[in-house]
Amino acid sequence: MAFSETEKLPAPEHIAIIMDGNGRWAKNRGLPRTAGHKAGGEAFRRIANYCRTLGVKYLTVYAFSTENWKRSQEEVAGIMKLLARYLEEALRDMEKNAVTFRFFGDLSRLSPELRKLCREAEERSSQYHEVQVNFCLNYGGRDEIVHAAKAFAADVVEGKRQPEELTEELLSSYLYSADVPDPELIIRPSGEKRISNFLLWQSAYSEFVFMNVLWPDFGPADLDEAIAEYHRRNRRFGGV
Ligand code: FPP
């Protein structure tokens, strides 16, 4: 565990965030929902930078769920455009920032341009081992488990695996999050208290912190507060 500069509290190794409340933030200001997502993207940059100063090793963010396609075409296109701009910028600054990027989700439904950016970011950044950002894109926790089960079944059909071999650890290796430790802390801002199909398998022992602030307003002080709350919890992992 690394120590936070300001609070001197050890930061969790892996923090996951449901970036919720962009729409309400925009509505409160009489702005279109896409303006809320733009501000949400800025909040993400702020928090990703702050996580680095705290020594957080993995930051996983819910950027687009398998259910988010139900939104208007304009809103979906707006979010995709923000992600594309961000990845173009990340590719440009890759050497300077040395951030590893991973994408959790079924990328096959994304536009070929965005898919290419994701692939390029993942490939080019795999040489770094400092900080890792996992973007959940067209991601659903149930979908991830189904995807893993299909991949395992295909290996059984091909004779590479035996059904009896399947363990929790082996199934984990078929998930999008293979090789990434489970998050110790999951934060959901905006006042909603749901998991919404996020990291269903990986959150088995995570601490959940729900906060009232809307994501675009979320800043370093809010992250400090979530980490302080995490430290007040008594994690027993099913023991006594
Ligand atoms: C949930 O808030 C947010 C999303 C579905 C999109 C999240 C996307 C971003 C923060 C932008 C991504 C870009 C970068 C660069 C990371 P909501 O729209 O459901 O809010 P509401 O509940 O108030 O309507």
Side-chain angles (χ1 to χ4, degrees):
M1 278 202 210
F3 280 83
S4 131
E5 288 298 313
T6 47
E7 298 280 305
K8 303 292 173 209
L9 284 170
E13 183 184 29
H14 184 174
I15 297 179
I17 305 180
I18 300 178
M19 304 186 291
D20 196 14
N22 298 346
R24 277 162 284 168
W25 183 93
K27 192 168 180 221
N28 292 344
R29 286 165 177 74
L31 295 169
R33 294 180 61 83
T34 42
H37 296 312
K38 184 164 184 277
E42 282 152 21
F44 163 75
R45 284 177 171 80
R46 224 168 27 237
I47 290 305
N49 286 332
Y50 188 54
C51 279
R52 182 202 281 273
T53 69
L54 296 183
V56 173
K57 178 81 180 71
Y58 302 91
L59 173 65
T60 301
V61 288
Y62 210 177
F64 196 86
S65 75
T66 45
E67 289 74 35
N68 285 151
W69 297 104
K70 292 181 207 148
R71 297 183 178 208
S72 76
Q73 212 195 336
E74 188 195 351
E75 183 173 350
V76 170
I79 296 173
M80 297 300 167
K81 197 168 155 191
L82 284 168
L83 286 162
R85 292 297 90 82
Y86 175 79
L87 291 176
E88 281 163 1
E89 192 185 298
L91 282 164
R92 215 175 40 233
D93 299 340
M94 189 145 273
E95 278 179 37
K96 186 176 79 191
N97 295 334
V99 173
T100 308
F101 290 100
R102 281 269 297 270
F103 298 87
F104 296 175
D106 175 7
L107 303 190
S108 68
R109 220 180 140 179
L110 305 182
S111 73
E113 296 78 25
L114 186 55
R115 225 169 29 233
K116 185 165 173 278
L117 285 169
C118 294
R119 232 182 357 245
E120 211 179 319
E122 207 159 61
E123 279 169 18
R124 280 187 44 203
S125 69
S126 62
Q127 57 177 312
Y128 306 116
H129 304 283
E130 219 177 299
V131 199
Q132 180 166 317
V133 171
N134 305 310
F135 278 111
C136 296
L137 255 185
N138 191 25
Y139 174 87
R142 289 182 173 180
D143 184 63
E144 179 180 34
I145 295 167
V146 168
H147 176 268
K150 279 186 187 160
F152 177 74
D155 280 353
V156 170
V157 170
E158 282 182 34
K160 290 189 205 153
R161 294 277 182 200
Q162 294 300 312
E164 310 73 50
E165 267 184 83
L166 193 61
T167 58
E168 291 183 10
E169 201 184 354
L170 186 57
L171 187 65
S172 295
S173 74
Y174 283 88
L175 297 175
Y176 297 126
S177 60
D179 303 323
V180 176
D182 292 342
E184 295 100 317
L185 170 63
I186 298 184
I187 303 170
R188 182 168 193 158
S190 96
E192 308 289 350
K193 295 186 175 69
R194 286 187 297 277
I195 185 76
S196 297
N197 209 8
F198 187 47
L199 303 180
L200 295 183
W201 175 278
Q202 300 85 344
S203 63
Y205 290 104
S206 303
E207 292 295 335
F208 288 85
V209 174
F210 298 103
M211 303 175 83
N212 284 326
V213 57
L214 300 174
W215 175 248
D217 291 326
F218 198 96
D222 299 297
L223 189 62
D224 285 342
E225 193 185 318
I227 293 173
E229 171 59 21
Y230 165 79
H231 282 285
R232 286 192 287 271
R233 307 276 176 88
N234 179 7
R235 305 184 80 210
R236 290 189 299 276
F237 299 95
V240 287

